[in-house]
Amino acid sequence: MLRSAAILTLLATPISANPIAEILCAPTKQMQQKLEQQFHSARTASGMRSPDQMMEVWTDQRGDWAMVVRYASGTSCIVAMGEHWEETENPT
């Protein structure tokens, strides 16, 4: 969890008008660079939430994960973080 705290500290740009104070935002390119280069995470899943929003899951080899909303405006926000991410097989 210490690593998650470090990510939050380095990416911290809280949205003061947002009722969820834990959401942290940065320009998408900056967010991606931090997640990839500094924290060795990769985008492992994504899906469209709306025409202007993509949900992304970023994970590392240790199982730390971050859920990111990427907005068409060029901003990305971490909306959830945790540990012990586990891939599951889909039943056929």
Side-chain angles (χ1 to χ4, degrees), residues 2 4 6-8 15 20 28 32 36-37 66 74:
L2 181 59
S4 296
I7 291 173
L8 291 175
I15 300 174
I20 304 172
T28 296
Q32 290 175 340
E36 291 172 346
Q37 297 171 5

Side-chain angles (χ1 to χ4, degrees), residues 14-75:
I15 300 174
S16 58
N18 194 308
I20 304 172
E22 293 81 25
I23 294 177
L24 304 171
C25 299
T28 296
K29 187 172 181 106
Q30 178 185 349
M31 178 79 71
Q32 290 175 340
Q33 288 174 339
K34 290 278 188 189
L35 290 167
E36 291 172 346
Q37 297 171 5
Q38 191 165 355
F39 297 104
H40 310 289
S41 294
R43 186 175 56 216
T44 54
S46 65
M48 186 176 287
R49 182 170 184 222
S50 73
D52 295 331
Q53 298 177 13
M54 289 291 293
M55 297 300 298
E56 302 174 337
V57 176
W58 290 74
T59 60
D60 69 12
Q61 290 182 346
R62 296 179 349 167
D64 292 339
W65 61 271
M67 184 170 286
V68 176
V69 180
R70 181 169 37 111
Y71 295 95
S73 66
T75 298

